Amino acid sequence: MKANLQSANIFGKKLKRRYSKQRRVIRRCIFFQQEKKILACDPGFSATLNSAVKHDKKVEICLYWQQKQNKWAEDIPKAFEKAEDKTYSSHGNQICLEMQIAQKEIEMALQRLAKSFVEKEQPRLVLELVKKSLPQLAISEQEFVAEFAEALAKQQGMNVDNDVYIRRLAHRMYVCMQQGQLHLSGFERFRLADLHRRWQKCIERVVSMAVLRYDWAQQMDAWRYQIDQSKSLCKLVRIRKNRKGQFILEVQGYQGEEPGLPNEQLAEESLLSILLAWAPLQIEILLGGSFQESWVYEIIEQLFGPRVKICWQQH
């Protein structure tokens, strides 16, 4: 019995030693696999490290621009003020600037160049679009349309204070530089097609507004002629607008039958039509106190001129 117990204990100790060895082997395998995983991450880490080293290195930049872009190009030295070894050269009608700059400085430099583009080059491009779209206009008229189209474009976010707009322009320049030399004229022609379409829409809107303004001026002239040629049907029309927004008319010296005023509330357009039909010798507009103003009063003043008198009421 004792012999059997001793042999059992010895067998148990052997199993324990084998099990412990297997556990050590398993641990080593697990550790080795983890080591392999860590080593597998090393290439990514080294790439990040390499890019970080490259970030501090200086890169060569080559910019080309045409003489017509000189106004914009004047700000290139300011934009790349931290660049070194600047060399200018001329190639026909193009000017070239070669320089070296730290990789980490490129983004800020291109953003400064993008701001200069919006301030100096964008107005020139809008004017060129106007000249191409409206060649029949005089130079002064083209400049007038371009100025208002540029103002409209700025209202739509294409301005120097819009950080998103500036960063997008800078990124497009950066993409051009990654593909080779940055030709500013090619950048404007091929990289800004969407902006050209947006500028064109601003120009078309300005033109449509100018046409409407012209048509309105023509209409005003026609109404003035009608008033001058019409016979006055009354001496005086006194107009006031109460707090409910209702126009109240007082008519004096009407020739013929007393005019029947509409029972419903008068709208501005209806009031203007009545005055054009009557062509009164004098119009008094009552303002102040409990009387409200109306946009039609300004049109009445423009049409009837010296016949109109503004009377201010005390509170």
Side-chain angles (χ1 to χ4, degrees):
M1 188 68 178
K2 286 183 180 180
N4 291 336
L5 288 172
Q6 286 177 356
S7 60
N9 289 335
I10 293 169
F11 182 71
K13 287 179 180 178
K14 287 182 180 179
L15 285 177
K16 187 175 181 180
R17 282 196 295 270
R18 283 183 184 177
Y19 179 70
S20 61
K21 285 182 180 179
Q22 288 179 354
R23 287 184 65 184
R24 284 197 294 269
V25 171
I26 291 171
R27 285 176 181 173
R28 286 178 182 174
C29 291
I30 293 172
F31 180 75
F32 181 71
Q33 288 176 358
Q34 288 176 346
E35 250 185 343
K36 285 180 69 178
K37 288 181 180 179
I38 293 171
L39 290 172
C41 295
D42 283 351
F45 175 78
S46 63
T48 306
L49 184 63
N50 290 338
S51 65
V53 172
K54 185 179 178 182
H55 196 64
D56 291 329
K57 284 185 177 180
K58 291 184 178 179
V59 295
E60 292 185 356
I61 293 179
C62 189
L63 298 176
Y64 284 86
W65 66 90
Q66 296 181 356
Q67 292 180 356
K68 63 181 180 180
Q69 298 171 303
N70 280 343
K71 194 172 181 181
W72 177 27
E74 288 175 356
D75 290 341
I76 290 179
K78 297 178 183 178
F80 293 90
E81 57 185 356
K82 295 187 178 181
E84 299 176 355
D85 300 331
K86 297 176 184 176
T87 304
Y88 289 89
S89 58
S90 179
H91 304 271
N93 65 341
Q94 287 192 332
I95 302 171
C96 174
L97 172 60
E98 297 178 83
M99 55 189 162
Q100 289 187 346
I101 188 172
Q103 182 80 16
K104 62 183 179 181
E105 299 291 342
I106 292 179
E107 183 179 355
M108 292 303 299
L110 290 178
Q111 286 189 18
R112 288 191 289 267
L113 188 60
K115 288 182 179 180
S116 175
F117 166 84
V118 175
E119 290 178 341
K120 295 186 176 181
E121 192 66 5
Q122 182 171 296
R124 186 186 69 82
L125 294 176
V126 173
L127 179 58
E128 283 189 358
L129 278 177
V130 172
K131 290 179 179 179
K132 184 178 179 181
S133 305
L134 304 167
Q136 69 276 15
L137 297 182
I139 295 177
S140 59
E141 293 173 334
Q142 290 174 342
E143 291 175 348
F144 175 83
V145 173
E147 182 179 353
F148 275 86
E150 170 68 7
L152 189 59
K154 288 181 178 179
Q155 289 180 0
Q156 296 179 3
M158 292 176 277
N159 59 70
V160 72
D161 296 322
N162 188 346
D163 292 337
V164 176
Y165 183 59
I166 296 299
R167 286 199 299 269
R168 284 179 180 175
L169 288 174
H171 178 71
R172 294 183 186 187
M173 294 180 190
Y174 184 73
V175 171
C176 290
M177 289 177 58
Q178 285 183 322
Q179 297 174 356
Q181 300 166 339
L182 175 56
H183 290 256
L184 300 184
S185 56
F187 169 76
E188 293 176 351
R189 190 177 303 113
F190 302 111
R191 299 287 180 172
L192 303 179
D194 57 330
L195 293 184
H196 280 262
R197 289 191 293 268
R198 291 177 66 184
W199 295 334
Q200 185 66 41
K201 288 182 179 179
C202 292
I203 293 169
E204 292 171 359
R205 184 176 175 186
V206 170
V207 171
S208 63
M209 288 190 294
V211 170
L212 288 174
R213 186 179 180 86
Y214 175 77
D215 291 343
W216 178 249
Q218 294 289 95
Q219 182 63 61
M220 293 287 284
D221 289 340
W223 281 337
R224 291 190 189 98
Y225 180 80
Q226 175 185 339
I227 293 169
D228 292 338
Q229 299 299 316
S230 299
K231 180 181 178 181
S232 297
L233 299 181
C234 58
K235 294 182 179 179
L236 172 65
V237 175
R238 187 175 288 113
I239 308 169
R240 64 181 183 271
K241 187 177 183 181
N242 60 23
R243 291 179 177 176
K244 295 181 180 179
Q246 299 172 330
F247 287 102
I248 301 173
L249 305 183
E250 296 180 19
V251 183
Q252 295 181 7
Y254 190 86
Q255 297 181 8
E257 296 182 4
E258 193 71 19
L261 298 176
N263 295 325
E264 68 274 7
Q265 180 179 341
L266 275 175
E268 275 82 355
E269 295 83 357
S270 302
L271 173 61
L272 187 59
S273 299
I274 290 174
L275 294 177
L276 288 172
W278 292 350
L281 295 175
Q282 188 176 357
I283 299 173
E284 289 185 359
I285 298 175
L286 305 183
L287 293 174
S290 59
F291 304 140
Q292 295 184 349
E293 296 188 6
S294 172
W295 58 266
V296 77
Y297 290 162
E298 183 178 352
I299 298 176
I300 293 172
E301 283 188 275
Q302 293 177 7
L303 286 176
F304 291 89
R307 302 188 188 190
V308 180
K309 181 181 179 182
I310 306 295
C311 302
W312 289 91
Q313 305 294 313
Q314 295 181 352
H315 291 279

